[in-house]
Amino acid sequence: MTLIANTPEPPYYAVIFTSLRTPEDHGYGLMAERMAELAAQQPGFLGMESARDELGVTVSYWESLEAIAQWKRQVEHREAQRLGRSDWYAAYRVRVARVERDYGFGEQDAI
Amino acid sequence: MTLIANTPEPPYYAVIFTSLRTPEDHGYGLMAERMAELAAQQPGFLGMESARDELGVTVSYWESLEAIAQWKRQVEHREAQRLGRSDWYAAYRVRVARVERDYGFGEQDAI
């Protein structure tokens, strides 16, 4: 889950989630793991890439806007979104984007 | 440069650069700083967000595909791309995407 996602030929969609954490954990680590596990079970999920320093950058990939909308409405994920605003994040930004082309170098099937 | 980018209203473009490093530095840290500085001076540059754990995820934002193409051709950046493939990265993936909507919470002008 932390390596380069093996996505199909474009077009597909990306959700770029950029966040700044609050100082305390408040169960954040467990939630992040659970959300990654849950996202991977959603219809239309294609992969996820994530890293955190001062800033966290998580990109998830999806077959369609409808798959993204379904994931946003998923019950347990909605509760995580609520706790995100109240406890875990000082700020975040979500950007929904259509991947139009991709290219690379080295092993893509590293998962 | 490491916080949430203050991007304008969509549409605009994102370049999602995901990478796995080689074990040695080979001047990587200096190059990464220089490329961030240089990208920020390019026409059409809108912002950059970056984090690295095991995986590195850097998203840069641009006004247009033409601005992205110009940045890809920039002479010093081309040399960095060459050294990226020979020395710095075990693997990477570049995805060019059109940001269609965004929303968030908390301070966006944190830069």
Side-chain angles (χ1 to χ4, degrees):
Chain A
M1 196 57 83
T2 57
L3 300 180
I4 299 181
N6 187 14
T7 44
E9 284 291 297
Y12 52 87
Y13 287 84
V15 177
I16 305 162
F17 178 73
T18 314
S19 63
L20 289 167
R21 288 272 288 114
T22 49
E24 288 94 38
D25 187 73
H26 290 300
Y28 173 77
L30 268 174
M31 176 285 296
E33 261 178 53
R34 173 68 183 145
M35 287 304 117
E37 185 184 295
L38 206 57
Q41 295 165 12
Q42 292 294 300
F45 176 85
L46 299 175
M48 187 180 285
E49 296 165 343
S50 193
R52 174 169 295 280
D53 290 326
E54 188 181 358
L55 190 73
V57 185
T58 296
V59 188
S60 58
Y61 300 103
W62 302 87
E63 273 173 18
S64 65
L65 290 174
E66 178 49 31
I68 293 171
Q70 264 190 53
W71 169 232
K72 195 177 171 192
R73 289 192 302 262
Q74 201 277 351
V75 175
E76 209 175 323
H77 185 210
R78 284 186 63 143
E79 175 63 7
Q81 290 167 54
R82 195 185 64 74
L83 287 166
R85 288 184 294 270
S86 66
D87 289 10
W88 294 317
Y89 299 117
Y92 66 70
R93 196 94 205 139
V94 177
R95 294 178 175 94
V96 179
R98 184 175 191 270
V99 178
E100 302 192 342
R101 67 171 196 276
D102 66 358
Y103 59 92
F105 156 83
E107 199 52 72
Q108 199 188 357
D109 309 77
I111 281 177
Chain B
M1 195 57 81
T2 57
L3 300 181
I4 299 180
N6 188 14
T7 44
E9 284 291 297
Y12 53 88
Y13 288 85
V15 177
I16 305 164
F17 178 73
T18 314
S19 62
L20 289 167
R21 288 273 288 113
T22 48
E24 288 93 37
D25 187 72
H26 291 300
Y28 173 77
L30 268 173
M31 177 284 297
E33 261 178 53
R34 173 67 184 147
M35 286 305 116
E37 186 185 295
L38 205 57
Q41 295 165 14
Q42 291 295 300
F45 176 85
L46 298 175
M48 187 180 284
E49 297 165 342
S50 194
R52 174 170 296 281
D53 291 326
E54 187 182 358
L55 190 73
V57 186
T58 296
V59 188
S60 58
Y61 300 103
W62 302 88
E63 273 173 20
S64 65
L65 290 174
E66 179 49 32
I68 293 171
Q70 264 188 54
W71 168 232
K72 196 178 171 191
R73 287 192 303 262
Q74 201 277 349
V75 175
E76 210 174 322
H77 185 210
R78 282 186 64 145
E79 175 63 7
Q81 290 168 53
R82 195 185 64 74
L83 287 167
R85 287 185 296 270
S86 65
D87 289 10
W88 294 318
Y89 299 117
Y92 65 71
R93 197 94 205 138
V94 177
R95 294 178 176 95
V96 178
R98 184 176 191 267
V99 178
E100 302 193 342
R101 66 171 196 275
D102 67 357
Y103 58 92
F105 155 84
E107 198 54 70
Q108 200 189 356
D109 309 76
I111 283 177

